[in-house]
Amino acid sequence: RAKKDGPGKVVVFAPQMHAEALARLTLSGDLQQALALGEFRLQYQPLIDLATGLPAGVEALVRWHRPDGRYTLPGDFLPAAEENGLIVDIGNWVLHTACQQTAQWRRSTPDLTLNVNISGRQLTDPGFPGEVERMLRRSGLPAAAVTLELAESVLMGNPEEALPHLAGLKSLGVGVAIDDFGVGHSSLSYLQRLPVDEIKIDRAFLRRPEPTTRDLAVVRAIVDLAHALRLRTVVEGVETEAQRVAMHRLGCDLGQGHHLCRPLHPEELAVPVAA
Ligand code: C2E
Ligand code: MG
Ligand code: MG
Ligand code: MG
């Protein structure tokens, strides 16, 4: 089946497109219900200080725990939530829950910090800064203990639009990180202009268990540039000891990855009391 859509333009509808649209619609309804029924859960993955091996903070990662026991990762439902706008409500729930949890952990680990992922839709939502302020007040967390992670693709997709929103968040005192850095179109000139505090180097740079000299050269350049701009560096996806050692040697501050620690349920995360 093909439909003429304007002069000379033929749009072909594959039979599965209808099924996909239906599935998306069903997913949208399910997500709304999931939020209402409290089916979202957070896991927390530590950010490990590569010099000491101790956790400096945690990153909150959302999961969908369905009544039938299925455990769905964000990649399978956040795109739909982003599309229908529900990401704003889900994101507020994440922020609220993660701030409360972190405030509780900080009673025994006072320096623990929290990273929260923020979608593009949340960043440009006019109510977002107010929401962040409210969550900080309610939890009692100092703004400096919270870093909001924004994907490079979101920030660099439209840096002029992102800039005032970032400035608004920065004025609250929270930190801002560029997530998944180095794989999209990052313009180095924007890196200098955007008010950010931290760069999270995408795990694509660590795809080899034993990093080669060439792999390391690229990561070193990112780390050196970040440090010259006084930004903290976090490397994602550390899966081997060789990667951990290499990242530490080239000066990266923090690491995340299965070799260091997997994302954990809050009750599994026995944060050691700071010495
Ligand atoms: P991200 O923020 O870059 O988070 C890191 C992802 O890498 C997580 O996947 C984590 O489980 C995974 N990971 C950690 N260590 C390793 C490793 O050593 N090897 C490999 N292969 N993977 C590792 P997850 O939890 O599936 O999240 C995927 C993405 O979904 C996140 O990427 C983030 O962009 C988004 N996301 C997660 N939670 C939220 C949220 O609450 N709000 C928003 N807006 N986005 C979220
Ligand atoms: Mg992240
Ligand atoms: Mg990331
Ligand atoms: Mg990533």
Side-chain angles (χ1 to χ4, degrees), residues 59-61 115-118 149-151 177-180 200 236 256:
E59 175 179 5
L61 296 164
N115 277 34
V116 179
N117 294 286
I118 302 300
E149 298 190 5
L150 283 139
I178 306 184
D179 205 353
D180 306 332
K200 300 193 71 173
E236 304 189 289
Q256 273 180 290

Side-chain angles (χ1 to χ4, degrees), residues 16 88 148 163 210 216 236 247:
Q16 77 265 20
V88 172
L148 304 177
L163 193 64
E210 300 263 352
L216 294 181
E236 304 189 289
M247 292 301 108

